[in-house]
């Protein structure tokens, strides 16, 4: 379980303090939680604080009861937290197989690497020896990044706006990948997103606005208040078709 206690985060701009997050307290023990809210609400900042990329100004972060607030990104990764960026990092000179091996923390076989790529809908023979470079599209990079998360098998996987910068076809494929990941995961998935289709498959939705948790609850409770009852019903019906 992930627990955030009274998280605050502020930065100094032009000699003045600007508060990004204000006393955020939150518990996530569901398998799939989505954090949403308007642009500039603090969603991505919250994701980076969970991963350890940013250190909160005050407050504490607990993973399965252990305080990890002072832990670095690497220490949190070793404790079971994965983080996927809005724009996946490109690694010229590193092959897809090498990247998946690094994520797994051991040298894996071609068969194992192919299995992870198949999980995210990629034809393994077309990607296994390719460099993680500019030759890959945004959608391909997103799916390869998810494959690395699967290889790690972590207790908590955090995705920061995975839909950013990809085309509609790739986005539709990503939804399918997340649905499969949801079914097979033994840990929790947290996705930062404002996309309705991602929200519609989450167990829990957290709405962040002006740096605070505005509301949180089960999908059935929160989604209608965001989209409206009719829009929510139409989206659910579409997902079930």
């Amino acid at each position: 379980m992930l627990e955030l206690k009274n998280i605050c985060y502020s930065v100094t701009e032009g000699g003045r303090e600007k508060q990004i997050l204000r006393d955020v307290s939150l518990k996530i023990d569901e398998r799939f939680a989505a954090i949403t809210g308007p642009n500039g609400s603090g969603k991505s900042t919250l994701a980076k604080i969970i991963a350890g990329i940013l250190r909160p100004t005050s407050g504490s972060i607990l993973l399965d009861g252990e305080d990890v607030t002072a832990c670095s990104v690497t220490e949190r990764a070793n404790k079971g937290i994965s983080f996927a960026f809005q724009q996946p990092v490109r690694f010229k000179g590193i092959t897809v197989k090498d990247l998946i091996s690094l994520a797994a923390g051991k040298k894996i076989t071609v068969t194992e690497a192919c299995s992870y790529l198949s999980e995210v809908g990629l034809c393994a023979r077309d990607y296994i020896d390719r460099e993680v470079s500019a030759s890959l599209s945004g959608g391909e990079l997103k799916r390869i990044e998810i494959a690395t998360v699967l290889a790690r098998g972590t207790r908590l996987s955090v995705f920061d706006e995975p839909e950013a910068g990809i085309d509609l076809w790739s986005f539709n494929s990503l939804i399918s990948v997340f649905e499969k990941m949801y079914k097979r995961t033994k840990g929790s998935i947290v996705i930062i997103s404002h996309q309705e289709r991602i929200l519609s498959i989450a167990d829990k939705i957290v709405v962040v606005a002006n740096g605070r948790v505005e509301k949180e609850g089960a999908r059935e409770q929160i989604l209608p208040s965001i989209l409206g009852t009719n829009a929510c019903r139409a989206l659910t019906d579409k997902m079930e078709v």
Side-chain angles (χ1 to χ4, degrees):
M1 179 180 71
L2 173 70
E3 184 175 3
L4 307 179
K5 292 184 176 182
N6 309 111
I7 294 294
C8 294
Y9 181 75
S10 60
V11 296
T12 301
E13 292 184 353
R16 307 181 72 176
E17 185 179 69
K18 179 181 179 182
Q19 252 193 320
I20 309 297
L21 295 175
R22 311 164 187 267
D23 197 32
V24 172
S25 292
L26 181 65
K27 288 183 181 180
I28 295 176
D29 57 5
E30 291 80 8
R31 280 201 298 159
F32 193 161
I35 300 177
T36 191
N39 291 334
S41 61
K43 304 186 302 297
S44 291
T45 298
L46 187 59
K48 290 173 182 175
I49 283 176
I50 292 171
I53 297 170
L54 297 176
R55 191 70 58 87
T57 306
S58 61
S60 55
I61 304 161
L62 282 72
L63 180 66
D64 292 336
E66 179 185 1
D67 192 331
V68 297
T69 313
C71 293
S72 66
V73 175
T74 301
E75 289 170 329
R76 292 192 202 189
N78 290 335
K79 290 179 182 296
I81 297 178
S82 292
F83 182 80
F85 292 88
Q86 282 188 31
Q87 301 297 331
V89 180
R90 299 175 188 269
F91 300 95
K92 188 174 181 180
I94 297 179
T95 66
V96 171
K97 179 180 179 294
D98 290 339
L99 186 63
I100 295 174
S101 290
L102 286 171
K106 61 181 181 179
K107 190 173 181 63
I108 62 174
T109 65
V110 171
T111 300
E112 289 172 319
C114 288
S115 175
Y116 291 122
L117 290 172
S118 297
E119 285 273 357
V120 297
L122 293 177
C123 180
R125 68 173 178 272
D126 294 335
Y127 292 92
I128 197 73
D129 293 320
R130 285 183 66 178
E131 286 190 0
V132 188
S133 63
S135 67
L136 296 168
S137 70
E140 289 169 330
L141 277 172
K142 294 278 187 180
R143 286 199 262 180
I144 289 168
E145 186 174 46
I146 294 172
T148 65
V149 172
L150 292 175
R152 290 203 65 219
T154 49
R155 295 148 70 185
L156 177 66
S157 302
V158 183
F159 295 86
D160 186 10
E161 298 195 30
E163 70 275 10
I166 63 172
D167 57 49
L168 180 60
W169 184 88
S170 295
F171 175 68
N172 289 336
S173 299
L174 276 181
I175 293 294
S176 176
V177 169
F178 282 126
E179 287 174 331
K180 290 178 182 177
M181 187 176 178
Y182 171 84
K183 291 176 182 177
R184 75 185 294 276
T185 186
K186 295 179 181 179
S188 293
I189 304 168
V190 175
I191 297 185
I192 311 299
S193 178
H194 53 76
Q195 285 291 334
E196 296 170 0
R197 289 187 61 190
I198 289 179
L199 300 182
S200 70
I201 59 175
D203 296 317
K204 179 176 185 173
I205 297 175
V206 179
V207 180
V208 177
N210 297 316
R212 300 180 184 274
V213 174
E214 186 177 83
K215 62 181 78 171
E216 62 176 296
R219 175 188 64 240
E220 295 79 7
Q221 173 191 353
I222 303 298
L223 199 56
S225 70
I226 298 173
L227 305 180
T229 303
N230 291 335
C232 180
R233 186 181 297 117
L235 177 63
T236 303
D237 290 344
K238 183 178 180 181
M239 292 294 291
E240 291 176 349
V241 170

